[in-house]
Amino acid sequence: MIEVLTTAAQKLLPQLNALLEVESRCQPKLCGLRLIESAHDNGLRMTARLRDFEVKDLLSLTQFFGFDTETFSLAVNLLDRFLSKLKVQPKHLGCVGLSCFYLAVKSVEEERNVPLASDLIRLSQYRFTVSDLMRMEKIVLEKVCGKVRAATAFQFLQLYYSLIQENLPSERRNCLNFERLAAQLKACHCRIVFSKAKPSVLALSIIALEIQAQKCIRLTAVECLQKHSKINGRDLTIWQELVSKCLTEYSSNKCSKPNVQKLKWIVSGRTARQLKHSYYRIAHLPTIPETGP
């Protein structure tokens, strides 16, 4: 039990304990991820660079449709679980990535918000068919043993954030911005190295770094969560350093970022707006603000 946390915060501990218990069951194989990282870019083998490009494309789709960060986090988990088990040829990566994304969408988002498979293929500018996508979905499901849902870093980020917020006085609760934390997690997901970290470790690393940067919250709560989650202090320090480096590079102009605007170039501006408006009108939610002309 975390004695430092308030009674209200401790009510969230059963959820945290449940996540900690299952987090290792649906994670990518480390040996498979290392093989991808060590592969040379010869056009015949899957590489870290190709994987990262694919994840950025999935993030673009997530942003375009306004899907939850949990959808993206789960899609990345499915993709890495699949890639770490099978040798996927680069020419098949698009179909694999989109099938993982579609499985995540159908698992997390409300049914009325789920787009047509044909729209996803069209926006992604792939040449395969809906039938190809459905066949790949079955293959992915088979290789992940039908276990689509997983304990993701985003789920841990939500819980850790809520636990810390509940323990803060009201005047300090604005110090941590959850949208900023979620954005930092999405940036980390775009690097395969972070798929080797336990979801709990990655989430707590991001929060700890942000607290250190803001300097308005004591690290006591983080230390308690670290202890409760049985996270090794050295491991947390190592991953914090990697996260810090990633976020620094990601904020630079040299780093390529997901481009939602690219999706609007693929189809006409009117068609892109119609796609977004149709799904958001059904969901009774406001449309995503247009970015750029």
Side-chain angles (χ1 to χ4, degrees), residues 246-265:
C246 169
L247 296 179
T248 299
E249 293 174 354
Y250 194 80
S251 62
S252 71
N253 294 329
K254 295 181 180 180
C255 179
S256 64
K257 299 176 179 61
N259 189 356
V260 179
Q261 188 67 33
K262 181 182 71 172
L263 299 180
K264 299 173 191 175
W265 294 334

Side-chain angles (χ1 to χ4, degrees), residues 194 205 232-244:
F194 294 105
S205 296
N232 181 279
R234 183 173 178 275
D235 288 344
L236 187 63
T237 299
I238 290 172
W239 285 108
Q240 279 183 242
E241 291 174 355
L242 290 171
V243 169
S244 178

Side-chain angles (χ1 to χ4, degrees), residues 85-133:
K85 286 186 175 182
L86 290 179
K87 292 182 179 180
V88 176
Q89 294 183 27
K91 64 181 180 181
H92 296 143
L93 179 59
C95 193
V96 172
L98 201 61
S99 65
C100 291
F101 180 75
Y102 205 30
L103 283 169
V105 170
K106 289 184 286 187
S107 179
V108 176
E109 303 292 333
E110 292 187 29
E111 185 176 355
R112 60 187 178 180
N113 296 343
V114 177
L116 296 174
S118 56
D119 286 340
L120 286 180
I121 294 171
R122 182 186 182 192
L123 283 168
S124 302
Q125 210 174 21
Y126 289 127
R127 294 182 179 179
F128 52 78
T129 66
V130 172
S131 296
D132 295 331
L133 186 65

Side-chain angles (χ1 to χ4, degrees), residues 161-270:
Y161 173 82
S162 297
L163 283 161
I164 291 172
Q165 288 291 95
E166 287 290 347
N167 205 50
L168 290 175
S170 56
E171 65 271 14
R172 290 190 179 181
R173 290 187 177 178
N174 291 329
C175 290
L176 280 182
N177 183 297
F178 187 73
E179 289 186 2
R180 177 177 168 82
L181 293 171
Q184 292 173 346
L185 174 61
K186 286 185 279 193
C188 290
H189 275 325
C190 292
R191 302 284 183 90
I192 193 173
V193 63
F194 294 105
S195 292
K196 295 191 293 185
K198 284 186 176 181
S200 58
V201 176
L202 176 56
L204 197 59
S205 296
I206 291 171
I207 287 181
L209 273 177
E210 187 65 11
I211 288 177
Q212 290 174 14
Q214 297 301 327
K215 297 180 181 179
C216 61
I217 303 174
R218 289 187 299 177
L219 284 170
T220 307
V222 171
E223 293 168 356
C224 291
L225 289 170
Q226 175 191 339
K227 182 178 180 181
H228 185 83
S229 303
K230 297 180 181 178
I231 296 173
N232 181 279
R234 183 173 178 275
D235 288 344
L236 187 63
T237 299
I238 290 172
W239 285 108
Q240 279 183 242
E241 291 174 355
L242 290 171
V243 169
S244 178
K245 181 181 178 182
C246 169
L247 296 179
T248 299
E249 293 174 354
Y250 194 80
S251 62
S252 71
N253 294 329
K254 295 181 180 180
C255 179
S256 64
K257 299 176 179 61
N259 189 356
V260 179
Q261 188 67 33
K262 181 182 71 172
L263 299 180
K264 299 173 191 175
W265 294 334
I266 294 171
V267 295
S268 68
R270 177 180 297 179

